[in-house]
Amino acid sequence: MPEFENVLENREFQTLPSVSVDCVIFGYEGNLLKVLVRREYVPFEGNILIEWKLPGNHVRRNEQIDATASRILKEQTGLENIFMKQFMVFSDPDRLKRRERDYEWVKPRLQDDRVLTVGFYSLVNIHDVDNSKLLEEAKWENAYEIRELMFDHNDIFNEALKKLRYDLLHEPLIFELLPEKFTLTQMQKVYEAIFDTTYDKRNFRRKVNKMPYLIQTDELQSGVSHKPARYYTFDREIYENTRSERFDFRM
Amino acid sequence: MPEFENVLENREFQTLPSVSVDCVIFGYEGNLLKVLVRREYVPFEGNILIEWKLPGNHVRRNEQIDATASRILKEQTGLENIFMKQFMVFSDPDRLKRRERDYEWVKPRLQDDRVLTVGFYSLVNIHDVDNSKLLEEAKWENAYEIRELMFDHNDIFNEALKKLRYDLLHEPLIFELLPEKFTLTQMQKVYEAIFDTTYDKRNFRRKVNKMPYLIQTDELQSGVSHKPARYYTFDREIYENTRSERFDFRM
DNA sequence: ATAAAAATGTGTTTTTTTTACACTAAGTAC
DNA sequence: GTACTTAGTGTAAAAAAAACACATTTTTAT
């Protein structure tokens, strides 16, 4: 039962009293958008209730907030150096108000001195996850069929998704979920998963071909039992230099 | 010289060590979009430098983040119950990196233990502002002719403007800057100010008339020395009920 | 060798949306 | 009653988005 750990005496592991981080870890696998949730065992009236929540933790003293988020991601998935982004800050008093009747029994624990939560989202290609490193208590859940989570974690997820979609229209985040070399069909599938829709292949290609930083390579797929697709890459340098031209890729 | 205040001993006024709020307060007046900036007196090598920045402050212990933003707005303008929205979170270490050469002399003060800034924007009809309550150090600046601000505050402003424009296309924020009853021309002027452009009157009207929650009243302007315009109102209830139909009023 | 299967890659037509454009109406001031 | 000022309205042209189908290239099975 992590999350109930006592504050360690080693100063290194002391937490900032007031700040915690919750992570919405988006995963992509099999053309589906997923989110990582984890089991929580909650003692209540002599029983142990099983609840689900977003992974989160306290910020440790002398730890950068981003480092907390990275630490959580690594604990949950084993992954490092993954794109993560702060998307919102929540005051806990507010959040408790929203659902306090449901969770009166946890209130005392939450209210002690924790007053702030920073929400992060991250983008993970589930193929990169070594499943043996995935925590026993963690589970990938289909992003559009999420069970009810503790507290206001469903709201937090929805905010994260909104922000992810916004950012995707303004920054080249899509490439965080694609391998170094990718086909346009792979790219399309990722967009479709995140926006929960489908696109016409020809119209999609017409649109993304306007991105000057999307580079066609000479390489073709191999080992596939059909016509091999061409590989493309993302050229970050071109992106940085054409930034001012302001592509808003409304999908 | 506020902002240099020592932490008061009264617990109520203690600040959270690590969190501050910066506010981009958009104002609308005379068909122009403005932003509130404030003077800052910075001691440097025995002199006092005058710099300009966005209003901001620390989050106090036991204060919700939104309350901090509201407090800043009230301090600066005297206004309460104004729409405010969180639009961004940033880590200070990151921000310092961006401009540390410019501000090496402030670094020690900033670096102590402040690690997080939350950006809010708000929308204020300047006619509602009692100018006597506006702080001496505050100034409405034309949004498209902003002077250079301290640190990365120009970047923050640009992010706020981008988010404001985006939100305006997805939510009925426009009505925050309009009186209870308004004419379509008034409405058009607000859009024009925020998007820094002009629209054709007929095309504009065709577009906004698609909003089912924009209600024509029987009332006409009076006391104007020309053909009186019709008043319209915003029906929030209709908006809530037709929300699912997803109007994206791209202007 | 040939046929079947599977996904790639490409252009045109239709529909929808956006833009451009100009005059009459209603009131006030003189 | 004439001049001034802003309100209010429709249509045509251009641009953008959406809908749509088939030939190509590779592997696999026979």
Side-chain angles (χ1 to χ4, degrees):
Chain A
M1 283 181 256
E3 195 68 29
F4 286 125
E5 74 224 15
N6 289 322
V7 173
L8 301 177
E9 298 199 0
N10 184 335
R11 196 172 192 283
E12 158 86 4
F13 288 95
Q14 281 175 10
T15 55
L16 273 185
S18 42
V19 186
S20 67
V21 166
D22 281 332
C23 290
V24 178
I25 302 172
F26 289 105
Y28 173 70
E29 181 181 46
N31 298 346
L32 291 175
L33 185 67
K34 312 217 167 179
V35 61
L36 197 78
V37 294
R38 52 169 299 176
R39 209 178 281 128
E40 186 85 353
Y41 303 92
V42 185
F44 177 57
E45 292 185 354
N47 295 319
I48 302 279
L49 302 181
I50 295 180
E51 297 263 353
W52 292 84
K53 61 191 280 292
L54 296 172
N57 212 316
H58 287 273
V59 176
R60 291 180 183 157
R61 201 163 280 288
N62 294 327
E63 184 178 50
Q64 303 273 10
I65 307 230
D66 299 56
T68 310
S70 300
R71 173 166 57 81
I72 292 168
L73 182 66
K74 183 167 185 204
E75 278 167 11
Q76 302 291 327
T77 66
L79 291 173
E80 291 182 87
N81 300 318
I82 294 291
F83 173 84
M84 303 198 80
K85 184 162 178 166
Q86 284 169 40
F87 69 94
M88 202 160 207
V89 177
F90 311 88
S91 295
D92 278 341
D94 227 13
R95 305 167 62 196
L96 280 170
K97 241 180 275 158
R98 281 190 241 170
R99 296 196 57 186
E100 64 187 336
R101 255 157 316 171
D102 299 356
Y103 287 102
E104 274 186 349
W105 40 279
V106 222
K107 240 167 93 181
R109 181 165 71 80
L110 279 181
Q111 270 196 332
D112 49 11
D113 52 5
R114 184 172 153 186
V115 298
L116 200 76
T117 301
V118 182
F120 278 75
Y121 73 79
S122 66
L123 298 174
V124 168
N125 196 324
I126 297 182
H127 287 123
D128 300 339
V129 178
D130 175 352
N131 278 315
S132 68
K133 287 192 178 154
L134 201 65
L135 281 185
E136 170 69 26
E137 294 87 3
K139 181 178 181 306
W140 289 107
E141 187 114 314
N142 193 323
Y144 306 112
E145 301 163 6
I146 302 178
R147 71 185 78 210
E148 191 173 340
L149 304 177
M150 286 179 84
F151 310 117
D152 57 349
H153 283 198
N154 293 88
D155 297 336
I156 293 180
F157 168 79
N158 287 325
E159 285 295 331
L161 181 59
K162 246 178 9 194
K163 191 61 174 6
L164 168 64
R165 288 176 175 175
Y166 173 86
D167 289 342
L168 212 54
L169 300 180
H170 296 86
E171 301 168 44
L173 285 194
I174 192 74
F175 305 108
E176 301 293 333
L177 285 180
L178 289 166
E180 182 82 17
K181 294 175 179 182
F182 51 87
T183 68
L184 294 186
T185 301
Q186 288 174 335
M187 188 174 174
Q188 181 176 342
K189 296 293 181 198
V190 179
Y191 271 111
E192 290 179 341
I194 295 178
F195 286 95
D196 194 27
T197 184
T198 58
Y199 300 104
D200 176 90
K201 200 201 312 191
R202 281 168 289 191
N203 295 338
F204 179 84
R205 280 157 191 250
R206 195 183 354 263
K207 222 172 243 178
V208 299
N209 270 321
K210 288 181 194 153
M211 302 176 181
Y213 41 83
L214 183 68
I215 308 298
Q216 204 180 70
T217 72
D218 294 336
E219 259 180 277
L220 299 181
Q221 268 180 328
S222 66
V224 289
S225 72
H226 53 75
K227 175 172 177 180
R230 184 173 295 279
Y231 281 119
Y232 287 72
T233 59
F234 167 54
D235 187 323
R236 183 168 297 276
E237 197 174 339
I238 294 179
Y239 171 72
E240 300 292 349
N241 295 333
T242 56
R243 189 190 262 292
S244 50
E245 290 164 32
R246 283 280 247 88
F247 282 81
D248 274 8
F249 11 112
R250 296 182 186 158
M251 278 298 136
Chain B
M1 284 182 253
E3 196 67 29
F4 287 124
E5 73 226 11
N6 289 323
V7 173
L8 301 178
E9 298 200 359
N10 184 334
R11 195 171 193 283
E12 156 86 5
F13 287 96
Q14 282 176 10
T15 56
L16 276 181
S18 43
V19 186
S20 66
V21 166
D22 282 331
C23 290
V24 178
I25 302 172
F26 289 105
Y28 174 69
E29 182 181 46
N31 299 344
L32 291 174
L33 185 67
K34 312 217 165 178
V35 61
L36 198 79
V37 294
R38 52 170 298 174
R39 208 179 282 127
E40 187 85 353
Y41 302 93
V42 185
F44 177 57
E45 292 185 354
N47 295 317
I48 302 280
L49 302 181
I50 295 180
E51 296 264 352
W52 293 83
K53 63 192 277 292
L54 296 171
N57 213 315
H58 286 274
V59 176
R60 291 180 183 157
R61 203 165 277 287
N62 294 327
E63 183 177 52
Q64 287 169 219
I65 310 266
D66 300 53
T68 308
S70 301
R71 172 166 60 82
I72 292 168
L73 182 66
K74 183 168 183 203
E75 278 167 13
Q76 303 291 327
T77 65
L79 290 173
E80 291 183 86
N81 300 318
I82 294 291
F83 173 85
M84 303 197 80
K85 184 162 178 165
Q86 213 185 101
F87 70 93
M88 199 172 202
V89 185
F90 12 82
S91 293
D92 279 342
D94 259 358
R95 305 167 61 195
L96 279 170
K97 246 179 270 158
R98 280 189 245 169
R99 296 196 57 186
E100 62 188 337
R101 254 157 316 169
D102 299 356
Y103 288 100
E104 273 186 351
W105 39 279
V106 220
K107 239 167 91 179
R109 182 163 71 83
L110 280 181
Q111 269 195 333
D112 48 10
D113 52 5
R114 183 173 154 185
V115 298
L116 199 74
T117 302
V118 183
F120 277 76
Y121 73 79
S122 65
L123 298 173
V124 168
N125 196 324
I126 298 183
H127 287 124
D128 301 339
V129 178
D130 175 353
N131 277 315
S132 69
K133 287 193 179 151
L134 202 65
L135 280 185
E136 169 70 25
E137 294 86 3
K139 181 176 181 309
W140 289 107
E141 188 115 312
N142 193 322
Y144 305 112
E145 301 164 6
I146 303 178
R147 72 186 76 212
E148 191 174 340
L149 303 177
M150 286 179 83
F151 310 117
D152 58 350
H153 284 198
N154 293 88
D155 297 336
I156 294 179
F157 168 79
N158 287 325
E159 284 297 330
L161 181 59
K162 232 169 35 183
K163 193 59 174 9
L164 167 63
R165 287 176 175 174
Y166 177 85
D167 288 342
L168 211 53
L169 302 180
H170 301 269
E171 299 168 46
L173 285 195
I174 192 74
F175 305 108
E176 302 291 334
L177 286 180
L178 289 166
E180 182 81 17
K181 294 176 180 181
F182 51 86
T183 69
L184 295 186
T185 301
Q186 289 174 335
M187 188 173 173
Q188 182 176 341
K189 295 293 180 197
V190 179
Y191 272 111
E192 290 179 340
I194 295 179
F195 287 94
D196 194 26
T197 184
T198 57
Y199 300 105
D200 175 90
K201 201 202 311 191
R202 282 168 289 191
N203 295 337
F204 179 84
R205 280 158 192 251
R206 184 177 314 119
K207 223 172 241 181
V208 299
N209 271 320
K210 288 181 193 153
M211 302 174 182
Y213 40 81
L214 182 68
I215 308 298
Q216 205 180 68
T217 71
D218 295 335
E219 260 180 275
L220 300 181
Q221 267 181 328
S222 66
V224 289
S225 72
H226 54 76
K227 177 171 176 181
R230 184 173 296 279
Y231 282 118
Y232 287 73
T233 60
F234 167 53
D235 188 322
R236 183 169 298 275
E237 197 173 340
I238 293 178
Y239 171 72
E240 299 293 347
N241 295 333
T242 57
R243 188 191 262 293
S244 50
E245 291 165 32
R246 283 281 246 88
F247 282 82
D248 276 10
F249 12 111
R250 297 182 185 158
M251 283 296 137

